[in-house]
């Protein structure tokens, strides 16, 4: 039914036919301001996705253009971009363009965070935006690498199946299918926020925008504290391509590239891109295989179809498979045979090569845009997406067969959004629309164990391992005074029990966001999003294959850790109506400096917490945000400087805690009460020549739990710092380029990043933390004939040892595990473009 409706929708737009006789051509000459012709200038009619380049005499010609008025944009590196309205009303229309030489315009100056193209300086939101060149120069194929250059943004990736995404101290990392994220991840306007399916490779990317602060008005219910928007390159009316190959230590192999071509002249365009990125693990596992490696294969195809002068359709399909080896959750208590407890040295994890991940993520998106006139346009975004992952990990971090878990997560989603944009080109602009979103997911956690080893863990964890060898208890101790009738009962060498949580949600949104210029200098923006959602939650435990006598000790018989649901699925559902919004003020001091202030309300949806013994509904988590800042652009867009400060006030703060109490292992969301944070951020970019630039940024965050909850009661976590949140962080880097001669160029791109102390759990235990550290990376190489690039890179050049996580499931049993950070990586890459 849906596809019939979509087809009817498309046919309504195709009714608008162009008389084939009313077509003309545009020609002209592109020159510099001193009259010299410019060869290779890009001449582009964005509305038609039609473009060309000027020849050696600066001349250009665009043909088969329907009679109408268009915005023609002309750009060339090192010159200010010029846009002009040109009316095509004759067989040949002549329009010349004069470009003024300028400093190099910084990437990320133009953004689309408010659903329309604007300069970052003019948007009342704290935004960091990086474009193709920056992402390529830094080799940031995953979020954790990109986050190092964004103030207030931290990403921890235990594996691509288990990311922790942090904006201004607030972490979004729960794999529970019943829990919504706090940080939205969007890909071309489509939410991909669910934790286990959210990490995608950053290849062939146009731009990445990180928006800080509540963004519910712009990005929906999952953007309680911020959003990251990934804009992929789309098919264009050009023939182009690139290929990059690389090899590095730990047998790292990289192959990535794209190809773009018109399929039907001036009507249908095609683009394909792919990446294969593999690296052996850098932690040896003496039980077999290696750990902390990478293997990703991803493809993307996109089509752009120009239905008529006013209507375009983009179709993008993505597919990605990740098959890395396991994650080194190494015990900090028990050393492997012949080794130590240093997380950066070899481990001995049970099951060896069985550890690892197999994850597939795929989706398709259709974006239909129609321009009614110069004021109104419509965007329809339709998307479907699935992920399926199976990760096996050793949670005790030793050779002992005690805590071998798998996590099998599945999810599918469908979304449809209609958005009307308007811009009077005077004082009033904005958008409004509606969105429907459906998701259905599950998280299945099987636990396989040797009862003889688990008995040692539960009864005397100090002797789980001795001299690198697992200690097994063949039976319960023969002590009737302690174990009664169970004294001396034999224990099985293998057992298995499983729990699964289920989440199925429907939501419908109505939203509106508009800006009004009160004067030439002062503008206000208001936004509101109302959401009706139906949340369905479920929980089920599959009992032990062989009833375990250990269950009598924990109280969970026939299971050991998971309280039984009697082989039944417990379900609950409820509907919620909510609203979030924002109010912002922008004041232009002059053409270079803008001040802004915002007040906004963010929300994380209610959680229906279903366990074997009870069903409760957590209150929705609410944050009020207050922020002021300033943005500037100087020297023909070559110097950008931003500064902002913010205060957040949270109520009903939700956190997922894994704990083992009274014989029961639980990992469920809880309401931890009130919390607050204060911080400020500084960021600058400066292009000191046409080809060379410098960037630096700094972030300060003081985020902690309040002394009292909303009822005036003392809080258990009072004063504790939020997890994964360094109080101070900064990064800086150069992109230095020099021409040796007209056919050869040299570049040098060093970067340095620093983080102060980080706690990995909200309990703030001192041994579950990472002290301050810094990382130095650099890339250097040659550019040959502008189309070929030879690069040598080195990441973590000083080979700094650090950890990216600690505690984990093992910590619930008093034997925390630790995950090593990446050591020194180096290698060479060769890129060719055409």
């Amino acid at each position: 039914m849906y596809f019939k409706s979509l087809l009817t929708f498309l046919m309504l737009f195709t009714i608008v036919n162009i008389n084939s006789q009313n077509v003309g051509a545009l020609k002209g000459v592109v020159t510099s301001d001193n009259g010299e012709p410019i060869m290779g200038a890009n001449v582009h009619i964005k509305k038609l996705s039609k473009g060309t380049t000027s020849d050696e005499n600066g001349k250009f010609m665009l043909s088969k253009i329907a009679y109408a008025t268009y915005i023609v944009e002309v750009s060339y590196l090192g010159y200010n971009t010029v846009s002009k309205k040109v009316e095509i009303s004759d067989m040949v229309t002549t329009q010349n363009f004069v470009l003024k030489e300028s400093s190099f315009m910084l990437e990320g100056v133009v953004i689309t965070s408010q659903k329309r193209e604007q300069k970052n300086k003019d948007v009342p939101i704290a935004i960091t935006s990086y474009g193709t060149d920056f992402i390529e120069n830094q080799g940031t194929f995953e979020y954790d690498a990109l986050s190092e250059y964004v103030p207030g943004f931290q990403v921890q990736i235990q594996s691509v199946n288990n990311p922790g995404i942090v904006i201004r101290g607030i972490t979004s990392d729960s794999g529970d299918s019943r829990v919504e994220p706090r940080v939205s991840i969007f890909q071309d306007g489509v939410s991909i926020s669910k934790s286990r399916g959210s990490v995608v490779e950053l290849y062939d990317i146009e731009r990445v925008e990180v928006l800080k602060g509540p963004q519910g008005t712009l990005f929906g219910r999952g953007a309680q504290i911020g959003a990251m928007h990934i804009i992929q390159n789309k098919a264009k009316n050009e023939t182009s391509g690139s290929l990059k190959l690389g090899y590095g230590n730990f047998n790292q192999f990289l192959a990535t590239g794209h190809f773009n071509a018109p399929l039907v002249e001036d009507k249908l365009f095609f683009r394909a891109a792919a990446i294969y990125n593999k690296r052996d693990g850098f932690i040896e596992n003496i039980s077999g295989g290696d750990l902390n490696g990478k293997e990703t294969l991803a493809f993307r195809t996109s089509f752009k179809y120009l239905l008529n002068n006013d209507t375009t359709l983009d179709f993008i399909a993505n597919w990605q498979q990740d098959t890395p080896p396991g994650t080194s959750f190494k015990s900090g208590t028990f050393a492997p045979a012949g080794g130590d407890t240093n997380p950066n040295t070899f481990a001995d994890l049970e099951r060896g090569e069985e550890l690892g991940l197999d994850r597939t993520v795929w989706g398709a998106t259709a974006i239909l845009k129609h321009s009614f006139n110069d004021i109104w346009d419509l965007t329809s975004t339709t998307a479907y997406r699935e992920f399926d992952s199976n990760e096996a990990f050793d949670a005790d971090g030793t050779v002992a067969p005690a805590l071998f878990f798998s996590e099998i997560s599945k999810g599918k989603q469908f979304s449809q959004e209609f958005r009307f944009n308007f811009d009077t080109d005077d004082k009033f602009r904005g958008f409004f629309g509606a969105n429907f979103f459906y998701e259905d997911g599950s998280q299945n956690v099987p636990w396989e164990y040797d009862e003889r080893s688990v008995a040692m863990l539960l009864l005397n964890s100090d002797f789980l391992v001795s001299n690198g060898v697992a200690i097994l208890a063949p039976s319960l101790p023969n002590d009737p005074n302690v174990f009664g009738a169970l004294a001396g009962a034999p224990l099985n060498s293998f057992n298995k029990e499983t729990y699964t949580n289920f989440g199925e949600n429907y939501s419908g949104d109505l939203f509106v966001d508009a800006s009004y210029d009160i004067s030439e200098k002062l503008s206000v923006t208001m936004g509101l999003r109302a959401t009706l959602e139906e949340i369905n939650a479920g929980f089920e435990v599959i009992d032990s294959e062989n009833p375990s006598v250990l269950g009598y000790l924990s109280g969970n018989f026939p299971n050991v850790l998971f309280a039984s649901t009697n082989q039944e699925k417990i379900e609950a559902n409820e509907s919620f109506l909510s609203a979030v919004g924002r109010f912002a003020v922008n004041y232009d001091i002059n053409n270079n400096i803008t001040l802004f202030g915002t007040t906004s309300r963010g929300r994380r949806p209610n959680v229906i917490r279903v366990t074997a013994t009870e069903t409760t509904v957590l209150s929705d988590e609410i944050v009020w945000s207050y922020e002021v800042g300033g943005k500037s652009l100087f020297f023909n867009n070559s110097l950008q400087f931003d500064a902002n400060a913010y205060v957040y006030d949270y109520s009903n703060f939700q956190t997922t805690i894994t704990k083992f109490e009274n014989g029961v292992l639980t990992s469920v969301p809880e309401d931890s009460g009130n919390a607050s944070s204060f911080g400020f951020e500084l960021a600058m970019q400066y292009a000191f020549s046409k080809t060379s630039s410098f960037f630096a940024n700094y972030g300060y965050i003081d985020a902690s739990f309040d002394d009292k909850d909303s009822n005036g009661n003392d809080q258990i976590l009072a004063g504790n710092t939020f997890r994964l949140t360094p109080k101070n962080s900064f990064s800086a880097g150069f992109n230095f380029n020099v021409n040796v001669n007209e056919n050869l160029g040299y570049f040098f791109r060093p970067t340095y990043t620093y983080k102060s102390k980080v706690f990995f759990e909200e309990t703030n235990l001192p041994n579950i933390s990472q002290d301050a550290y810094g990382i130095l990376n650099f890339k250097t190489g040659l550019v040959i004939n502008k189309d070929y690039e030879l690069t040598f890179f080195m990441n973590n050049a000083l080979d700094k040892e650090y950890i990216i996580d600690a505690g984990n499931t093992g910590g619930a049993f008093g034997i925390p595990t630790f995950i090593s950070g990446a050591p020194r990586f180096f290698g060479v890459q060769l890129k060719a473009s055409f």
Side-chain angles (χ1 to χ4, degrees):
M1 182 66 183
Y2 169 77
F3 292 103
K4 289 182 179 180
S5 300
L6 180 60
L7 182 60
T8 302
F9 187 71
L10 295 175
M11 291 176 64
L12 288 174
F13 287 125
T14 58
I15 292 174
V16 183
N17 294 313
I18 302 173
N19 187 325
S20 60
Q21 295 180 350
N22 292 332
V23 295
L26 173 65
K27 72 173 186 177
V29 179
V30 182
T31 61
S32 64
D33 52 359
N34 60 12
E36 296 181 355
I38 296 177
M39 176 184 174
N42 294 305
V43 183
H44 186 236
I45 302 176
K46 186 174 182 180
K47 190 174 183 179
L48 303 179
S49 287
K50 192 178 186 71
T52 187
T53 56
S54 55
D55 62 18
E56 63 273 12
N57 298 313
K59 296 180 179 180
F60 69 90
M61 170 76 80
L62 288 169
S63 58
K64 295 183 180 179
I65 306 172
Y67 286 1
T69 299
Y70 303 95
I71 300 294
V72 181
E73 185 177 89
V74 180
S75 61
Y76 187 67
L77 185 64
Y79 291 80
N80 289 333
T81 298
V82 172
S83 297
K84 286 185 178 181
K85 278 188 177 181
V86 179
E87 182 181 1
I88 307 298
S89 59
D90 208 341
M91 291 184 63
V92 178
T93 299
T94 300
Q95 177 65 63
N96 297 325
F97 292 86
V98 177
L99 302 186
K100 182 179 179 181
E101 189 170 2
S102 72
S103 299
F104 180 66
M105 181 173 175
L106 293 166
E107 280 195 309
V109 168
V110 178
I111 58 176
T112 56
S113 59
Q114 294 193 138
K115 313 302 182 182
R116 56 188 182 272
E117 286 193 352
Q118 296 172 280
K119 286 186 176 180
N120 191 341
K121 181 180 74 68
D122 299 326
V123 178
I125 304 171
I127 300 173
T128 300
S129 176
Y130 288 122
T132 302
D133 289 344
F134 186 91
I135 294 171
E136 278 279 317
N137 291 344
Q138 304 306 324
T140 53
F141 294 114
E142 288 185 353
Y143 307 161
D144 55 344
L146 179 68
S147 71
E148 300 293 340
Y149 310 114
V150 181
F153 185 47
Q154 308 288 332
V155 176
Q156 173 214 66
I157 296 183
Q158 293 184 0
S159 74
V160 293
N161 193 54
N162 193 8
I165 301 173
V166 188
I167 290 184
R168 291 177 170 175
I170 303 302
T171 304
S172 184
D173 64 352
S174 176
D176 193 315
S177 64
R178 301 164 296 184
V179 176
E180 289 303 309
R182 293 186 178 101
V183 178
S184 280
I185 309 296
F186 270 68
Q187 191 177 52
D188 291 318
V190 177
S191 174
I192 62 170
S193 304
K194 277 296 187 182
S195 172
R196 284 3 183 197
S198 64
V199 175
V200 294
E201 291 288 282
L202 300 179
Y203 69 103
D204 197 34
I205 297 297
E206 176 185 326
R207 187 170 67 256
V208 176
E209 300 173 359
V210 180
L211 294 77
K212 287 157 280 186
Q215 302 299 332
T217 301
L218 300 175
F219 288 96
R221 65 188 188 129
Q224 182 213 27
I225 205 62
M228 179 168 68
H229 193 193
I230 304 165
I231 299 101
Q232 303 171 118
N233 280 321
K234 314 296 190 304
K236 303 174 184 177
N237 189 10
E238 65 179 30
T239 299
S240 64
S242 68
L243 176 64
K244 178 185 285 187
L245 298 174
Y247 183 79
N249 61 334
F250 297 100
N251 288 318
Q252 194 255 346
F253 175 73
L254 170 70
T256 184
H258 84 277
F259 176 72
N260 191 105
L263 297 180
V264 178
E265 185 180 2
D266 298 332
K267 275 291 183 182
L268 180 63
F269 322 124
F270 166 77
R271 189 181 187 93
I275 187 171
Y276 178 69
N277 195 357
K278 181 182 184 300
R279 185 193 66 243
D280 293 344
F282 54 83
I283 299 293
E284 179 190 0
N285 187 17
I286 61 176
S287 284
D290 51 43
L291 304 165
N292 293 8
K294 178 179 177 65
E295 184 170 26
T296 295
L297 176 64
F299 297 98
R300 182 185 310 128
T301 58
S302 63
F303 297 86
K304 182 184 288 290
Y305 180 51
L306 304 186
L307 283 78
N308 55 48
N309 284 342
D310 299 314
T311 311
T312 63
L313 175 64
D314 282 288
F315 177 81
I316 310 108
N318 281 283
W319 180 90
Q320 178 171 322
Q321 184 176 50
D322 299 280
T323 52
T327 299
S328 179
F329 292 95
K330 186 176 177 181
S331 175
T333 306
F334 303 104
D340 54 39
T341 57
N342 184 341
N344 302 280
T345 59
F346 70 84
D348 189 4
L349 307 191
E350 182 210 1
R351 303 291 183 100
E353 294 184 359
E354 291 184 39
L355 302 174
L357 169 67
D358 187 351
R359 185 190 77 142
T360 301
V361 180
W362 67 272
T365 303
I367 305 173
L368 180 71
K369 294 185 177 181
H370 176 72
S371 176
F372 296 102
N373 50 45
D374 290 340
I375 297 176
W376 287 94
D377 64 64
L378 167 68
T379 300
S380 168
T381 304
T382 308
Y384 181 81
R385 194 167 189 269
E386 287 191 14
F387 66 86
D388 188 342
S389 67
N390 187 340
E391 183 169 22
F393 57 97
D394 186 342
D396 58 72
T398 73
V399 72
L403 298 178
F404 176 78
F405 289 93
S406 293
E407 182 189 342
I408 303 167
S409 295
K410 297 182 179 182
K412 59 183 179 181
Q413 69 179 59
F414 169 81
S415 61
Q416 173 63 60
E417 179 175 286
F418 294 101
R419 186 180 73 248
F420 291 88
N421 280 67
F422 62 91
D423 189 342
T424 63
D425 207 21
D426 184 16
K427 293 186 175 183
F428 196 37
R429 59 206 168 272
F431 62 87
F432 62 88
N435 176 279
F436 171 77
F437 187 80
Y438 166 76
E439 63 181 354
D440 185 13
S442 63
Q443 182 191 40
N444 174 264
V445 182
W447 173 43
E448 297 180 1
Y449 57 98
D450 186 327
E451 293 181 359
R452 299 171 300 175
S453 183
V454 174
M456 297 302 299
L457 180 65
L458 298 180
L459 299 174
N460 194 349
S461 62
D462 290 341
F463 294 96
L464 180 67
V465 174
S466 177
N467 296 321
V469 178
I471 305 300
L472 304 178
S475 62
L476 289 180
N478 192 13
D479 186 351
N481 293 327
V482 176
F483 300 101
L486 295 177
L491 299 171
N492 295 319
S493 61
F494 178 83
N495 217 338
K496 179 180 179 180
E497 56 191 69
T498 304
Y499 79 80
T500 307
N501 58 64
F502 304 87
E504 183 179 24
N505 303 313
Y506 302 81
S507 68
D509 296 347
L510 295 175
F511 54 86
V512 59
D513 194 275
S515 300
Y516 182 76
D517 296 333
I518 296 176
S519 67
E520 289 186 359
K521 291 182 175 292
L522 180 65
S523 66
V524 296
T525 299
M526 296 184 67
L528 179 68
R529 181 180 292 256
T531 301
L532 175 63
E533 55 197 348
E534 179 183 320
I535 298 178
N536 301 271
F539 183 73
E540 180 181 28
V541 172
I542 304 299
D543 291 340
S544 293
E545 295 180 354
N546 302 299
S548 174
V549 294
L550 294 177
Y552 288 108
L553 301 180
S554 66
N556 295 324
F557 185 84
N559 302 326
V560 179
L561 296 184
F562 307 149
S564 178
T565 62
N566 299 314
Q567 309 285 52
E568 294 182 355
K569 181 180 177 182
I570 304 173
E571 297 182 279
N573 66 81
E574 195 162 334
S575 296
F576 303 94
L577 180 64
S578 62
V580 296
R582 67 168 178 155
F583 175 78
V585 177
N586 244 34
Y587 183 76
D588 293 328
I589 293 180
N590 52 43
N591 291 332
N592 302 113
I593 302 174
T594 299
L595 303 180
F596 72 90
T598 66
T599 298
S600 51
R601 181 182 192 266
R603 172 183 179 268
R604 190 189 201 188
N606 303 72
V607 174
I608 301 178
R609 185 178 64 187
V610 182
T611 68
T613 56
E614 63 178 353
T615 296
T616 56
V617 177
L618 298 186
S619 300
D620 50 350
E621 182 179 304
I622 301 298
V623 57
W624 281 96
S625 167
Y626 310 93
E627 183 166 1
V628 294
K631 301 182 180 184
S632 63
L633 270 176
F634 296 99
F635 310 135
N636 292 323
N637 300 323
S638 67
L639 174 61
Q640 177 178 322
F641 184 82
D642 298 343
N644 55 76
Y646 57 88
V647 173
Y648 292 158
D649 185 19
Y650 299 89
S651 57
N652 305 318
F653 189 85
Q654 301 166 5
T655 185
T656 298
I657 299 175
T658 299
K659 56 188 177 182
F660 183 67
E661 289 182 345
N662 301 319
V664 180
L665 179 69
T666 59
S667 182
V668 295
E670 296 184 356
D671 184 343
S672 292
N674 293 345
S676 57
S677 70
F678 160 77
F680 62 89
E681 297 157 354
L682 305 172
M684 65 90 66
Q685 296 184 77
Y686 176 51
F688 52 85
S689 75
K690 295 177 185 178
T691 57
S692 299
S693 60
F694 168 77
F695 78 90
N697 60 62
Y698 169 78
Y700 172 84
I701 304 172
D702 184 2
S704 60
F705 291 93
D706 296 344
D707 292 338
K708 305 286 185 179
D709 64 18
S710 56
N711 297 319
N713 301 315
D714 292 338
Q715 296 197 141
I716 296 175
L717 299 175
N720 284 13
T721 298
F722 289 176
R723 59 188 295 263
L724 302 180
T725 304
K727 183 161 286 190
N728 298 280
S729 63
F730 74 82
S731 64
F734 281 95
N735 179 17
F736 178 72
N737 297 265
V738 61
N739 291 325
V740 178
N741 55 49
E742 64 178 23
N743 296 318
L744 184 65
Y746 167 76
F747 63 85
F748 180 56
R749 298 164 185 159
T751 62
Y752 183 79
T753 62
Y754 169 87
K755 296 178 183 178
S756 61
K757 185 171 185 175
V758 172
F759 291 105
F760 294 112
E761 293 183 351
E762 285 157 351
T763 52
N764 285 189
L765 297 175
N767 61 322
I768 310 297
S769 64
Q770 168 63 53
D771 289 334
Y773 69 97
I775 297 293
L776 174 67
N777 303 329
F778 72 85
K779 301 177 77 173
T780 187
L782 302 173
V783 179
I784 305 166
N785 292 330
K786 298 183 179 180
D787 292 328
Y788 302 95
E789 187 174 291
L790 177 64
T791 301
F792 173 78
F793 71 89
M794 183 174 287
N795 297 334
N796 192 3
L798 303 179
D799 204 20
K800 172 67 179 178
E801 289 190 355
Y802 62 100
I803 59 173
I804 63 169
D805 199 17
N808 305 300
T809 304
F813 293 87
I815 50 171
T817 58
F818 300 78
I819 303 176
S820 169
R824 180 190 294 124
F825 290 150
F826 57 88
V828 294
Q829 296 174 351
L830 176 64
K831 180 181 179 181
S833 303
F834 62 89

